[in-house]
Amino acid sequence: MTATLAATRGKAYFRLAKLDIVDYYLGVVVVWTLLAPAARFDTGVLASVGVFLLGEVFVIAAMVALDDLTGYRDGSDITNYSPDDPQRKRYRKPLVAGTLDEGQVLRFAWATAVVGAALWLTAIAIAPHRPVWTVVLIVVTYFFSLQYSWGVKLSYHGFQEFFIAALGWALVLAPYGLASGEFTGFALAQALLFGLGPLLFGVYSNTNDVDGDRRVGRPTVAALTSPRGNMYFVIAVSAAEFALIFAVPALGGPWWFPLALLPTLVARIRQLWLGFALGDIMRARMLGIHIHRITVLSLVVVNLVVIA
């Protein structure tokens, strides 16, 4: 009985931390391939990037746990994960499912936040490079990650979409700065593309969750605008990704970069079609997750070819 309870509790914490959603963690793979070949297996580089990644897991676990706690308390998660919505699985929200209580979630959030801070400080301390911009970026990222749905509640003041993208940008640029000490146009372009990936499946989630978000006053674009206005916003973000891909050669990338990202471009058009022409928002969201991973794979291949 005790072993069964422990296993059930462990699964609940796993789901609370969203450890099955690895998409932000893929940024370190992009960073590793952005490095010069000689640096990729440098022990100092591997140690600092590895510790940063581990800290990232804990910081994001704290962030999403606090987000779940806030969403449970204001009722938005109960609405968005209602029993009559077969596309949103209640077990993914331990508070809604009843597998954890508020005290357990809050203690988990602060424990993981403390561990995450300690690991990021360690990554800075052992890194081959510590440019000021990188250290500041890490501190700012840590602070605002915990303020996403807690404290100042950024996502409840109109910053949700920006934060989702900015977190991805930071989680590429920060470890790249620690490993290389540089800030290049090519690295910046890849960081921007990486951050747009989570945003372009997050906006489809927001489209699905519009009723719950409006009910609690969470001002996502989907909640603030009409369905048509939200569609235009998603199209605009998708178009910005297209423009960035075609601009990469001017930022230090190879001339054939847009060709290498052709799978992303084609799949993004299909995502828009699924979501807004066919009205299958959740299927479009799932496709967005796959598109992000395809983009990461494409970036890795490009980097291994170009930076050889």
Side-chain angles (χ1 to χ4, degrees):
M1 180 68 73
T2 302
T4 301
L5 180 60
T8 301
R9 188 68 52 79
K11 289 179 181 178
Y13 282 118
F14 182 92
R15 290 164 180 158
L16 178 66
K18 309 297 186 287
L19 292 178
D20 57 325
I21 304 298
V22 301
D23 299 278
Y24 276 124
Y25 308 136
L26 298 176
V28 296
V29 182
V30 176
V31 169
W32 185 78
T33 59
L34 274 168
L35 300 174
R40 289 173 185 160
F41 296 99
D42 179 85
T43 54
V45 168
L46 291 175
S48 61
V49 172
V51 172
F52 182 88
L53 173 61
L54 189 58
E56 181 182 330
V57 173
F58 280 90
V59 172
I60 290 178
M63 179 185 76
V64 296
L66 291 172
D67 184 58
D68 272 17
L69 182 57
T70 300
Y72 177 74
R73 286 179 172 177
D74 67 22
S76 59
D77 278 354
I78 295 174
T79 298
N80 294 334
Y81 289 79
S82 62
D84 59 351
D85 186 350
Q87 299 188 85
R88 305 307 296 268
K89 298 178 174 59
R90 289 168 67 87
Y91 69 79
R92 293 188 56 78
K93 295 285 186 176
L95 283 167
V96 177
T99 52
L100 292 175
D101 61 37
E102 292 187 32
Q104 290 169 323
V105 170
L106 188 59
R107 288 191 294 272
F108 175 84
W110 292 126
T112 51
V114 169
V115 174
L119 287 167
W120 274 2
L121 288 172
T122 301
I124 293 171
I126 67 174
H129 307 278
R130 287 181 291 276
V132 173
W133 68 265
T134 301
V135 175
V136 171
L137 180 60
I138 292 172
V139 172
V140 169
T141 301
Y142 179 82
F143 175 78
F144 284 111
S145 293
L146 300 186
Q147 302 297 312
Y148 174 65
S149 294
W150 194 261
V152 300
K153 296 184 179 180
L154 290 173
S155 65
Y156 285 75
H157 291 87
F159 294 98
Q160 193 213 53
E161 289 86 0
F162 175 78
F163 177 85
I164 290 172
L167 181 61
W169 303 337
L171 294 178
V172 171
L173 290 174
Y176 181 71
L178 294 178
S180 71
E182 298 178 343
F183 185 93
T184 68
F186 193 36
L188 174 61
Q190 295 199 30
L192 293 175
L193 282 173
F194 182 85
L196 287 176
L199 176 58
L200 280 166
F201 59 79
V203 290
Y204 287 88
S205 289
N206 290 347
T207 302
N208 183 77
D209 296 345
V210 63
D211 291 337
D213 289 337
R214 282 176 177 163
R215 179 172 170 268
V216 301
R218 194 172 195 175
T220 64
V221 171
L224 291 173
T225 64
S226 65
R228 182 177 293 274
N230 178 59
M231 178 185 70
Y232 286 147
F233 171 73
V234 177
I235 291 173
V237 176
S238 302
E241 181 185 51
F242 276 49
L244 180 58
I245 288 172
F246 283 99
V248 168
L251 296 171
W255 66 266
W256 44 266
F257 186 86
L259 295 176
L261 272 289
L262 189 60
T264 294
L265 298 172
V266 172
R268 195 67 77 193
I269 293 171
R270 174 167 172 74
Q271 183 187 27
L272 286 168
W273 178 260
L274 276 175
F276 296 104
L278 301 183
D280 197 341
I281 291 296
M282 293 308 290
R283 190 175 167 199
R285 175 191 178 276
M286 183 57 65
L287 178 58
I289 295 174
H290 296 313
I291 294 172
H292 177 64
R293 295 172 185 179
I294 289 169
T295 301
V296 169
L297 178 61
S298 298
L299 294 177
V300 166
V301 171
V302 169
N303 292 338
L304 291 176
V305 171
V306 173
I307 309 173

Coordinates of all heavy atoms in Angstrom, one line a residue, residues 67-80 149 153 155-158 160 209-220 223-224:
D67 N 2.0 28.2 -11.5 CA 1.0 28.5 -12.5 C -0.2 27.6 -12.3 O -1.4 28.0 -12.3 CB 1.5 28.2 -13.9 CG 0.5 28.6 -15.0 OD1 0.1 29.8 -15.0 OD2 0.2 27.7 -15.8
D68 N 0.0 26.3 -12.0 CA -1.1 25.4 -11.7 C -1.8 25.8 -10.4 O -3.1 25.7 -10.3 CB -0.6 24.0 -11.5 CG -0.5 23.2 -12.8 OD1 -0.5 23.9 -13.9 OD2 -0.4 22.0 -12.8
L69 N -1.1 26.2 -9.4 CA -1.7 26.7 -8.1 C -2.6 27.9 -8.3 O -3.7 27.9 -7.9 CB -0.6 27.0 -7.1 CG -1.1 27.3 -5.7 CD1 -2.0 26.3 -5.1 CD2 0.1 27.6 -4.8
T70 N -2.1 28.8 -9.1 CA -2.9 30.0 -9.4 C -4.1 29.7 -10.2 O -5.2 30.2 -10.0 CB -2.0 31.1 -10.1 OG1 -0.9 31.4 -9.3 CG2 -2.8 32.4 -10.4
G71 N -3.9 28.9 -11.3 CA -5.0 28.5 -12.1 C -6.1 27.7 -11.4 O -7.3 27.8 -11.7
Y72 N -5.7 26.9 -10.4 CA -6.6 26.2 -9.6 C -7.4 27.1 -8.6 O -8.6 27.0 -8.5 CB -5.9 25.1 -8.7 CG -6.8 24.3 -7.8 CD1 -7.6 23.3 -8.3 CD2 -6.8 24.6 -6.4 CE1 -8.4 22.6 -7.5 CE2 -7.6 23.8 -5.6 CZ -8.4 22.9 -6.1 OH -9.2 22.1 -5.2
R73 N -6.7 28.0 -8.0 CA -7.3 28.9 -7.1 C -8.3 29.9 -7.8 O -9.3 30.2 -7.2 CB -6.3 29.7 -6.3 CG -5.5 28.9 -5.3 CD -4.5 29.7 -4.5 NE -3.9 28.9 -3.4 CZ -2.9 29.4 -2.7 NH1 -2.4 30.6 -2.9 NH2 -2.4 28.6 -1.7
D74 N -8.0 30.4 -9.0 CA -8.9 31.3 -9.6 C -10.0 30.6 -10.4 O -10.9 31.2 -11.0 CB -8.2 32.3 -10.5 CG -7.5 31.7 -11.7 OD1 -7.9 30.6 -12.2 OD2 -6.5 32.3 -12.2
G75 N -9.9 29.3 -10.5 CA -10.9 28.5 -11.2 C -10.8 28.3 -12.7 O -11.5 27.5 -13.3
S76 N -9.7 28.9 -13.3 CA -9.6 28.7 -14.7 C -9.2 27.3 -15.1 O -9.7 26.8 -16.2 CB -8.5 29.7 -15.3 OG -7.2 29.5 -14.6
D77 N -8.4 26.6 -14.3 CA -8.0 25.3 -14.7 C -9.2 24.3 -14.5 O -9.4 23.4 -15.3 CB -6.9 24.8 -13.8 CG -5.5 25.2 -14.3 OD1 -5.5 25.8 -15.4 OD2 -4.5 25.0 -13.6
I78 N -10.0 24.6 -13.5 CA -11.2 23.8 -13.3 C -12.2 23.9 -14.5 O -12.8 22.9 -15.0 CB -12.0 24.2 -12.0 CG1 -11.1 23.8 -10.8 CG2 -13.3 23.4 -11.9 CD1 -11.6 24.3 -9.5
T79 N -12.3 25.1 -15.1 CA -13.1 25.3 -16.3 C -12.5 24.7 -17.5 O -13.1 24.0 -18.3 CB -13.3 26.8 -16.5 OG1 -14.0 27.4 -15.4 CG2 -14.1 27.1 -17.8
N80 N -11.2 25.0 -17.7 CA -10.5 24.5 -18.9 C -10.3 23.0 -19.0 O -10.1 22.4 -20.0 CB -9.1 25.2 -19.1 CG -9.3 26.7 -19.3 OD1 -10.3 27.2 -19.8 ND2 -8.3 27.5 -18.9
S149 N 3.0 33.5 -13.0 CA 1.6 33.4 -12.5 C 1.5 33.6 -11.0 O 0.5 33.3 -10.4 CB 1.0 32.1 -12.9 OG 0.9 32.0 -14.3
K153 N 2.4 38.3 -11.2 CA 1.5 37.6 -12.2 C 1.5 38.2 -13.6 O 0.6 38.7 -14.1 CB 0.0 37.6 -11.7 CG -0.2 36.8 -10.4 CD -1.6 36.7 -10.0 CE -1.8 35.9 -8.7 NZ -3.3 35.8 -8.3
S155 N 1.4 36.9 -16.4 CA 0.5 36.3 -17.4 C -0.9 36.8 -17.2 O -1.8 36.7 -18.0 CB 0.5 34.8 -17.4 OG 0.0 34.3 -16.1
Y156 N -1.2 37.5 -16.0 CA -2.5 38.1 -15.7 C -2.5 39.6 -16.0 O -3.4 40.3 -15.7 CB -2.8 37.8 -14.3 CG -3.3 36.4 -14.0 CD1 -2.3 35.4 -14.0 CD2 -4.6 36.1 -13.8 CE1 -2.7 34.1 -13.7 CE2 -5.0 34.8 -13.6 CZ -4.1 33.8 -13.6 OH -4.5 32.5 -13.3
H157 N -1.4 40.1 -16.6 CA -1.3 41.5 -17.0 C -0.9 41.7 -18.4 O -0.3 42.7 -18.8 CB -0.3 42.2 -16.0 CG -0.8 42.3 -14.6 ND1 -0.5 41.3 -13.7 CD2 -1.5 43.3 -13.9 CE1 -1.0 41.6 -12.5 NE2 -1.6 42.8 -12.6
G158 N -1.2 40.7 -19.3 CA -1.1 40.9 -20.7 C 0.3 40.6 -21.3 O 0.6 40.9 -22.4
Q160 N 1.6 37.3 -21.2 CA 1.8 35.9 -21.3 C 2.5 35.5 -22.6 O 3.4 34.7 -22.6 CB 0.4 35.2 -21.2 CG 0.6 33.7 -21.0 CD -0.5 32.8 -21.7 OE1 -0.8 33.0 -22.9 NE2 -1.2 32.0 -20.9
D209 N -8.6 27.7 -24.5 CA -8.9 28.1 -23.1 C -9.6 29.4 -23.0 O -9.6 29.9 -21.8 CB -7.6 28.0 -22.3 CG -7.0 26.6 -22.3 OD1 -7.7 25.7 -22.6 OD2 -5.8 26.5 -21.9
V210 N -10.1 30.0 -24.0 CA -10.5 31.4 -24.0 C -11.6 31.6 -23.0 O -11.6 32.6 -22.3 CB -11.0 31.8 -25.4 CG1 -12.1 31.0 -25.9 CG2 -11.3 33.3 -25.4
D211 N -12.6 30.7 -22.8 CA -13.7 30.9 -21.9 C -13.2 30.9 -20.4 O -13.6 31.8 -19.7 CB -14.7 29.7 -22.0 CG -15.4 29.8 -23.4 OD1 -15.5 30.9 -23.9 OD2 -15.9 28.8 -23.8
G212 N -12.3 30.0 -20.1 CA -11.8 30.0 -18.7 C -10.9 31.2 -18.4 O -11.0 31.8 -17.3
D213 N -10.1 31.6 -19.4 CA -9.3 32.8 -19.2 C -10.1 34.1 -19.1 O -9.8 35.0 -18.2 CB -8.3 32.9 -20.3 CG -7.2 31.9 -20.3 OD1 -7.0 31.3 -19.2 OD2 -6.6 31.6 -21.3
R214 N -11.2 34.2 -19.9 CA -12.0 35.4 -19.7 C -12.7 35.4 -18.4 O -12.9 36.5 -17.8 CB -13.0 35.4 -20.9 CG -12.5 35.9 -22.2 CD -13.5 35.7 -23.3 NE -13.0 36.2 -24.6 CZ -13.6 36.0 -25.8 NH1 -14.7 35.2 -25.8 NH2 -13.0 36.5 -26.9
R215 N -13.1 34.3 -17.9 CA -13.8 34.2 -16.7 C -13.0 34.7 -15.5 O -13.6 35.3 -14.6 CB -14.2 32.7 -16.4 CG -15.0 32.4 -15.2 CD -15.5 31.0 -15.1 NE -16.0 30.6 -13.8 CZ -15.3 30.1 -12.9 NH1 -14.0 29.8 -13.1 NH2 -15.8 29.8 -11.7
V216 N -11.7 34.5 -15.5 CA -10.9 34.9 -14.4 C -10.1 36.2 -14.7 O -9.3 36.7 -13.9 CB -9.9 33.8 -14.0 CG1 -10.6 32.6 -13.6 CG2 -8.9 33.5 -15.1
G217 N -10.3 36.8 -15.9 CA -9.7 38.0 -16.3 C -8.2 37.8 -16.7 O -7.4 38.8 -16.5
R218 N -7.8 36.7 -17.2 CA -6.5 36.5 -17.7 C -6.4 37.0 -19.1 O -7.0 36.4 -20.0 CB -6.1 35.0 -17.6 CG -4.6 34.7 -17.7 CD -4.3 33.3 -17.5 NE -2.9 33.1 -17.3 CZ -2.3 31.9 -16.9 NH1 -3.1 30.8 -16.7 NH2 -1.0 31.8 -16.7
P219 N -5.7 38.1 -19.4 CA -5.8 38.8 -20.7 C -4.9 38.2 -21.7 O -3.9 38.9 -22.2 CB -5.4 40.2 -20.3 CG -4.4 40.1 -19.2 CD -4.9 38.8 -18.4
T220 N -5.1 37.0 -22.2 CA -4.4 36.5 -23.4 C -5.0 37.2 -24.6 O -6.1 37.8 -24.5 CB -4.6 35.0 -23.5 OG1 -6.0 34.7 -23.8 CG2 -4.1 34.3 -22.3
A223 N -8.3 35.9 -25.4 CA -9.4 36.4 -24.5 C -9.8 37.8 -24.7 O -10.9 38.2 -24.5 CB -9.0 36.2 -23.0
L224 N -8.8 38.6 -25.2 CA -9.1 40.1 -25.4 C -9.7 40.4 -26.7 O -10.3 41.5 -26.8 CB -7.8 40.8 -25.2 CG -7.1 40.8 -23.8 CD1 -5.8 41.5 -23.8 CD2 -8.0 41.6 -22.8

